Amino acid sequence: FSRAVTLAPPNPAAPHPVAGRPAAHHPRRTSPPTPYPVAHPDTSNALQFRRPMAMEEEEISGKELLRPDNSLAEEEAAAAASRLTDDLIVEILSRLPFRSVCRFKCVSKPWRDLIAHPAHRKKLPQTLAGVLYTNITGAGGYRYHLAGLSAEADGLDLDPSLTFLPHTEYRDFGLVRACNGLLLCSYEPEEGTVRFIVCNPATQRWTELPPRPRPNTCRYYQQFHLAFDPAVPSHFHVFDFERTDNLSITGVSIYSSRTGAWCQSDTGLVEDVVMVGQSVLVGGMLHVVGNLLVAADSNNWEDQTVLVALDMEGKEWKTISVPRGRDYGIVGWSQGCLHYAAISPAPLTVGVDDDEGSLNMAEEVAIWCLEDYDKQQWALKHSFRIDKVLNLNEVDYRLVGFHPNHDTFFFVSKGIWEGEKASLVSWDMRRRQLSCVLHLEKSSVAPYLPYVPLFSSEPLPDADGH
């Protein structure tokens, strides 16, 4: 909180006090100083002329202003804070990052209760509520669920099953992507025709995108991506990458909710790249995990995992090298940094009980942080031997993503035998501790989408509503 104190304008003729000595006493001026406008104490925008110094000194003496314990400043700050209503505090906090809001819980018990109140939580920045996933029902249909994180998802009124969408009646309806609270879904009204829906399960608003001018006959969910920036909450973009028969990118069709239309752009890459994984929006550019086909020698080719970055208009393209792994990894944004996780091609950690056989079976998850974006410099942030915490003879696993605010990484573990249930598992990087977050429904399938709720309806101004 800021405090405005009205002081008389300085006297140019008066000598400056010497450091370490009290200022000399000067007789009171017989005429008031030249008035100049200052902010009115009760109206933020109105201006009025200040009062003569003689009147001010009757109310606040210079001796009081210079109290060494600064008690007057504390009293005024407390008085200013007491005039803030709950609604005004919530409005201020709603414009701050999530981590700042968490710190303000420590201001006082009333603030803690104010922030935790269910009616106010919807207005405040949200963190990871859980992971959205799909399970195959006995009738061959699909159902959608949220594997909630108990602390974050408690009290949130969400509809992860998407029952508010009439399109779920289509057998091939499915979740495709999640980005900052919005979901991208697709369905086929007729064979060979793919249509898109963008929805918000927290507000149950949705909009159906118009047909693409150049339909892509090859439907592969890795080619569809969603970009929504909460800092620019009025619009979103949907990307449909166009590919050749060998899956290499030839261009992209981009839908902008600002224009309500699709535009097409040829690829800005000279390399052959195949989109294979997740995407994340960073700095106004979409970053997608892809495989780059490079020549190992004159007769052989090998895959190299990269991030393909392009802007919202498809005009700027570039590739970013990522640390090598056994397979392509996953990308995410956490604690203000771009992260990448993959299975290390060789164990980074060797224990005293490891022998040649155990090292051949060892699998280690390596988590990297992009320290310098321009120079593409990655730093190893954390690694852990997953074969030390899971019995890989009985359990398979799949990398899921990062917690946006904590040093926590998520993956799904599932028994290798048919019909066994899967579990959402978290790994605490600081404590090096594994914990099971939630058991998932039977026959759960990818994609597993980390989900942060969005309670604003602004990004879907044209939603049908229904």
Side-chain angles (χ1 to χ4, degrees):
F1 302 103
S2 61
R3 179 173 65 94
V5 178
T6 306
L7 299 175
N11 183 0
H16 292 283
V18 179
R21 300 180 186 176
H25 176 74
H26 298 283
R28 179 178 296 178
R29 299 171 59 171
T30 57
S31 60
T34 303
Y36 65 97
V38 296
H40 192 280
D42 298 323
T43 308
S44 59
N45 296 324
L47 297 177
Q48 72 173 25
F49 289 107
R50 55 176 307 221
R51 294 166 291 181
M53 184 176 178
M55 296 174 61
E56 291 180 344
E57 287 186 344
E58 292 177 1
E59 299 176 8
I60 303 176
S61 67
K63 184 178 180 180
E64 287 179 316
L65 285 173
L66 298 177
R67 262 191 270 177
D69 61 358
N70 203 28
S71 59
L72 184 63
E74 294 176 358
E75 292 170 2
E76 290 191 356
S82 66
R83 290 194 293 268
L84 292 176
T85 65
D86 289 352
D87 290 342
L88 185 56
I89 294 174
V90 172
E91 181 67 24
I92 295 172
L93 296 178
S94 68
R95 304 172 189 274
L96 300 178
F98 174 79
R99 299 187 73 179
S100 298
V101 175
C102 289
R103 287 195 292 268
F104 284 129
K105 289 182 179 180
C106 302
V107 170
S108 63
K109 290 183 178 180
W111 276 45
R112 180 198 63 189
D113 297 339
L114 185 74
I115 294 172
H117 195 283
H120 298 149
R121 288 182 62 184
K122 294 185 177 182
K123 300 179 182 179
L124 300 177
Q126 302 294 321
T127 188
L128 189 68
V131 174
L132 290 165
Y133 70 98
T134 305
N135 83 295
I136 304 175
T137 65
Y142 299 93
R143 295 190 64 183
Y144 310 100
H145 308 272
L146 175 68
L149 308 178
S150 57
E152 286 81 358
D154 184 34
L156 296 180
D157 184 17
L158 300 175
D159 182 13
S161 58
L162 308 180
T163 56
F164 59 92
L165 293 176
H167 310 80
T168 54
E169 65 188 30
Y170 291 93
R171 184 181 177 89
D172 51 7
F173 176 91
L175 292 174
V176 181
R177 301 289 172 195
C179 184
N180 294 318
L182 297 186
L183 303 183
L184 175 65
C185 307
S186 67
Y187 75 99
E188 290 188 15
E190 56 187 36
E191 187 175 356
T193 302
V194 181
R195 297 293 299 271
F196 295 105
I197 299 164
V198 175
C199 69
N200 184 343
T203 62
Q204 299 190 12
R205 291 179 66 85
W206 58 272
T207 186
E208 183 170 359
L209 277 56
R212 293 162 295 166
R214 295 172 53 179
N216 196 338
T217 57
C218 179
R219 184 187 182 190
Y220 178 57
Y221 80 90
Q222 299 289 11
Q223 76 193 52
F224 307 139
H225 296 269
L226 173 65
F228 169 64
D229 185 356
V232 190
S234 59
H235 62 279
F236 60 86
H237 294 82
V238 173
F239 294 75
D240 179 8
F241 288 96
E242 301 165 357
R243 309 179 306 166
T244 62
D245 292 339
N246 67 354
L247 305 184
S248 297
I249 299 172
T250 60
V252 63
S253 293
I254 304 175
Y255 173 82
S256 169
S257 64
R258 174 181 290 175
T259 63
W262 292 87
C263 67
Q264 197 277 336
S265 174
D266 294 333
T267 179
L269 304 175
V270 296
E271 307 99 332
D272 286 332
V273 179
V274 179
M275 297 305 192
V276 295
Q278 291 179 323
S279 60
V280 63
L281 182 66
V282 177
M285 298 190 72
L286 184 73
H287 296 69
V288 189
V289 179
N291 273 352
L292 174 65
L293 199 61
V294 295
D297 52 50
S298 58
N299 297 319
N300 296 301
W301 295 78
E302 62 181 16
D303 291 334
Q304 176 182 335
T305 306
V306 295
L307 295 182
V308 177
L310 71 158
D311 66 352
M312 297 298 100
E313 297 179 352
K315 296 180 178 179
E316 182 182 352
W317 297 66
K318 64 179 176 180
T319 58
I320 300 175
S321 299
V322 297
R324 201 164 171 78
R326 290 188 183 178
D327 200 351
Y328 62 86
I330 61 171
V331 65
W333 181 259
S334 178
Q335 303 178 87
C337 184
L338 190 65
H339 284 67
Y340 180 77
I343 307 300
S344 176
L348 302 174
T349 306
V350 179
V352 294
D353 56 341
D354 284 321
D355 53 24
E356 183 177 354
S358 63
L359 290 177
N360 288 335
M361 297 293 294
E363 295 192 10
E364 188 158 17
V365 178
I367 298 173
W368 304 80
C369 176
L370 186 58
E371 287 191 334
D372 192 315
Y373 186 91
D374 295 329
K375 296 181 180 179
Q376 301 186 16
Q377 291 181 351
W378 295 87
L380 180 63
K381 178 177 180 178
H382 184 80
S383 65
F384 65 97
R385 286 273 297 274
I386 202 162
D387 62 295
K388 295 290 187 180
V389 295
L390 295 179
N391 184 351
L392 298 184
N393 292 323
E394 300 179 358
V395 176
D396 195 6
Y397 66 96
R398 185 186 186 97
L399 306 182
V400 170
F402 308 88
H403 196 293
N405 306 107
H406 306 302
D407 285 327
T408 305
F409 181 75
F410 296 95
F411 58 94
V412 169
S413 68
K414 187 176 183 179
I416 60 176
W417 310 111
E418 184 177 356
E420 291 195 27
K421 287 187 176 181
S423 299
L424 178 63
V425 181
S426 71
W427 175 261
D428 190 321
M429 302 182 203
R430 293 188 178 183
R431 300 179 181 178
R432 303 191 67 85
Q433 181 178 338
L434 187 77
S435 61
C436 176
V437 177
L438 194 68
H439 293 296
L440 308 182
E441 298 289 333
K442 276 188 175 182
S443 304
S444 66
V445 295
Y448 299 96
L449 306 174
Y451 172 71
V452 177
L454 174 73
F455 290 98
S456 171
S457 60
E458 187 175 358
L460 298 173
D462 299 325
D464 201 321
H466 287 278

